Amino acid sequence: MSAPPQGSAPPMEVTDACLIEQSWRHPERFGALFDRYFDIIHRYVHMRLGESAADDIAAETFLRAFRGRRSYDVDRPSARAWLYGIASNLVADHRRGEARRYRALARSAEPQDVASHDDRVAQRVSAEIMQPRLASGLARLSAGDRDVLMLVACAQLSYEEVADALGIPRGTVGSRLNRARKKLRKIIGPYEEAL
């Protein structure tokens, strides 16, 4: 492999905004954005709605993004938060089903009786013991609080990215996240109670 000629800058990665702007004239350029973000959007939707909805919702996210690409603010180099916002809006359309899923998960994942003390200790230390409580807690959160919590916890977005994704002020992100955490702690209880 040869070194780049002296004085030339290394090749720079094309920004998302540049790809979107290029796709206005050359629609196939949008495919690079799909390649960059489909897996993380799919993973986020899968965590929110399950495998059966993830394929359709992730695909619909990119379809809506493609259709709305002319309204994208090209002053924002990264489209990551924009795409998460579209995905979150689609998840909101399925929100009732999501809450029902969490309630069903809470009911169906009740810990089973275990015969020996060692087995009981092992079971209680596992993450499965928290699953019913967590599912129940998530089902009880308001839609806005649940969206913020899931974007921070599952998608690992920053407060600024969550604010951008949901179209809310950064301070609202902080207050919703704080409120969601408090509610979950109250519903789930301290970690020591689960052991």
Side-chain angles (χ1 to χ4, degrees):
M1 184 177 258
S2 63
Q6 286 230 318
S8 69
M12 293 183 58
E13 185 175 323
V14 177
T15 66
D16 298 342
C18 185
L19 287 172
I20 291 170
E21 194 169 21
Q22 289 172 5
S23 78
W24 297 346
R25 289 181 309 284
H26 306 284
E28 68 278 0
R29 293 293 292 148
F30 197 83
L33 201 66
F34 177 91
D35 293 341
R36 282 183 188 174
Y37 293 107
F38 182 81
D39 288 343
I40 63 170
I41 295 296
H42 187 276
R43 191 169 31 256
Y44 170 70
V45 175
H46 179 257
M47 285 189 242
R48 296 290 306 268
L49 297 174
E51 182 62 35
S52 62
D55 291 341
D56 292 340
I57 299 294
E60 180 68 20
T61 297
F62 285 91
L63 179 61
R64 287 196 185 181
F66 180 78
R67 288 178 178 160
R69 69 191 189 280
R70 289 195 180 271
S71 65
Y72 182 78
D73 179 1
V74 293
D75 289 334
R76 295 181 175 180
S78 174
R80 182 174 173 236
W82 178 60
L83 292 168
Y84 273 115
I86 294 169
S88 291
N89 287 335
L90 290 168
V91 167
D93 293 342
H94 290 80
R95 197 166 273 137
R96 282 187 296 240
E98 179 186 35
R100 281 192 303 270
R101 180 174 165 258
Y102 287 138
R103 285 191 293 272
L105 185 58
R107 286 189 305 271
S108 67
E110 293 296 328
Q112 299 173 354
D113 290 332
V114 180
S116 77
H117 174 72
D118 291 340
D119 288 343
R120 195 169 29 256
V121 169
Q123 181 188 44
R124 292 182 151 231
V125 172
S126 74
E128 289 179 13
I129 193 72
M130 291 305 291
Q131 188 176 350
R133 288 174 160 176
L134 179 59
S136 176
L138 289 170
R140 293 181 191 173
L141 293 177
S142 72
D145 290 355
R146 189 169 48 242
D147 280 344
V148 168
L149 179 69
M150 298 303 271
L151 284 170
V152 169
C154 298
Q156 299 180 348
L157 294 184
S158 68
Y159 282 26
E160 291 80 16
E161 289 173 315
V162 173
D164 188 32
L166 298 178
I168 59 177
R170 186 188 184 284
T172 302
V173 171
S175 63
R176 286 183 181 180
L177 185 59
N178 186 42
R179 185 172 46 243
R181 286 175 174 161
K182 283 182 181 178
K183 285 180 183 177
L184 280 178
R185 272 189 223 110
K186 187 176 181 179
I187 293 166
I188 293 172
Y191 178 72
E192 295 79 31
E193 278 183 20
L195 298 178

